[in-house]
Structure formats: structure tokens, C-alpha cells
Amino acid sequence: MEGGAYGAGKAGGAFDPYTLVRQPHTILRVVSWVFSIVVFGSIVNEGYLNSPSESEEFCIYNRNPNACGYGVTVGVLAFLTCLLYLALDVYFPQISSVKDRKKAVLSDIGVSAFWAFLWFVGFCFLANQWQVSEPKDNPLNEGTDAARAAIAFSFFSIFTWAGQAVLAFQRYQIGADSALFSQDYMDPSQDSSMPYAPYVEPSAGPEPTSMGGTYQQPASAFEPEPQGYQSQGY
């Protein structure tokens, strides 16, 4: 199965780093991986504030711990998911089973679409909580740039993950339209059940009674195909 349908290289082929980094879905995974680091890193480092009148830290997003918790959780899980599918991109050319390749591409479609939805929810949640935050809770405007960065990169992540889902769906369509996707397909060079090429008797000429309708003749790459049956006189 060619790289255009289900990854870089043919099934069972050697790993090619240059081909891998040129794949659009791999590029989007790396970009999504970076975006996830920005989101959870911004919230972890500057998303919690201290108040002189309070002993405990509070979330910069309207004092809502669920907002910060959601951003960190989604960011960390997206980070791990990107690493998982980057590893799958590396291993993909080694997968020779059509069923396994199909499952990998289908999982890529579902997981990418799911993460696009989670990032959409995260963007709406963080943006809403930031909008209703009270200025008195942060009079010195500490961590405001980090809070805005988390919101912005949550928004960007919607499109990078949606793009991965679209690319995976295109790969699935290309594979589904290919003859190599068929479960019954077998490479003729690997088919040991047919050692000889079948010979079909031509319609013209007398029909030999001893040979039957067809017979098996050894195939040769250096000899021309037989053009007919010639009877021998004795």
C-alpha cells in the first residue's frame, strides 16, 4: 500500500525520517504538540494567583478552579496523544496488515475529531471565564499575557486537530479506493498456490481428447507465450 494512502512508504518498508517529516499530518501533529505545551504551561506557571488577604492560590480565570483544571488536563492529555500518534506515524510503514492499517487510520479520524471538540469546549470555557473575571481579583494584571495565550492557542488547536481529522479521512478514502485495501488481495509474486500460468485452449483447431479443455504449462520469463496447440503427425 502506497504512502499516499496510509503513510510514508510501502507496507513493511524501512523507516524514512525525511519522508515522515514531510507528511502534512505529521507536521500538524508537531504543531498541535507545541500548542498543547503552550496551553498547559501558561496555566501551570502563571494561571494561579496569590492574594495578600488569602492563604491559598486561586485561578486567574474568574477564580474558577475548574477552568484552570480543564485547561491543564486537556493540554497534558493532548500532549501525550500527539506523542502517541507521532510514534504511530513512525511505526506505520512497518505495518503489513491491511486490517491494522485501517484501524490505525480510523482511530486517527475519531481521536483527532474528538480533540478538536475538546479544544472548542476549552476555548469557549476559558474565554467566558476570562471575560467575567473581576479586575479587583488581579489589580496588578499578573499573568494576563499567559491567560490570553492559553485562550489563543486553545483556539488554534481546534483547527490543527480538525485538520488532522480531515487528512486522516482523506487517507482512508484513498486506501478504500485502492485495490490493495481489499482483504482478498494477494500479491501475485507471493501467491504460492499457483506455480504455473494457466493455458487457455484457443477456439480454432481440433480439440484434443486426451488433454482436456485446459492444461497447466510452466511459466517462463524468457520464453514467449504459446500461441496455440499443434497436433503432431506420427
Side-chain angles (χ1 to χ4, degrees):
M1 188 168 300
E2 296 296 329
Y6 287 99
K10 297 183 179 180
F15 169 61
D16 185 359
Y18 180 70
T19 302
L20 176 67
V21 298
R22 294 174 59 199
Q23 296 293 323
H25 59 275
T26 302
I27 296 173
L28 279 181
R29 290 199 217 287
V30 174
V31 173
S32 299
W33 179 71
V34 173
F35 287 177
S36 66
I37 295 175
V38 173
V39 173
F40 78 78
S42 297
I43 298 176
V44 169
N45 291 329
E46 300 185 54
Y48 293 90
L49 303 177
N50 292 313
S51 174
S53 60
E54 300 178 21
S55 58
E56 294 184 359
E57 295 179 332
F58 60 88
C59 178
I60 194 173
Y61 297 103
N62 195 33
R63 290 179 169 266
N64 188 345
N66 293 328
C68 289
Y70 186 92
V72 172
T73 301
V74 171
V76 171
L77 292 179
F79 171 85
L80 297 176
T81 303
C82 287
L83 292 181
L84 174 64
Y85 275 87
L86 282 171
L88 179 61
D89 288 342
V90 173
Y91 179 69
F92 196 88
Q94 310 299 324
I95 303 176
S96 59
S97 171
V98 173
K99 290 184 178 180
D100 292 341
R101 286 189 159 216
K102 181 178 180 181
K103 291 178 181 178
V105 176
L106 287 175
S107 71
D108 193 1
I109 297 173
V111 170
S112 298
F114 178 68
W115 275 109
F117 171 75
L118 290 181
W119 281 118
F120 174 76
V121 173
F123 165 72
C124 294
F125 189 21
L126 294 179
N128 174 262
Q129 294 300 301
W130 177 250
Q131 187 177 13
V132 298
S133 297
E134 296 289 341
K136 64 180 182 179
D137 292 333
N138 187 17
L140 300 178
N141 292 325
E142 296 179 278
T144 55
D145 290 339
R148 294 190 182 100
I151 295 173
F153 282 93
S154 295
F155 178 74
F156 299 151
S157 295
I158 299 172
F159 299 99
T160 58
W161 284 97
Q164 292 180 60
V166 171
L167 291 176
F169 181 72
Q170 291 177 347
R171 294 166 66 202
Y172 178 80
Q173 282 187 315
I174 295 173
D177 293 338
S178 173
L180 295 176
F181 190 80
S182 174
Q183 298 294 335
D184 299 328
Y185 175 82
M186 177 175 291
D187 187 347
S189 64
Q190 304 297 326
D191 188 1
S192 59
S193 64
M194 186 178 293
Y196 303 104
Y199 171 77
V200 180
E201 180 186 9
S203 57
E207 179 179 359
T209 59
S210 61
M211 299 299 294
T214 61
Y215 72 92
Q216 301 289 333
Q217 177 171 325
S220 173
F222 304 99
E223 297 180 3
E225 293 290 335
Q227 301 299 322
Y229 176 85
Q230 298 180 359
S231 60
Q232 303 293 332
Y234 296 96

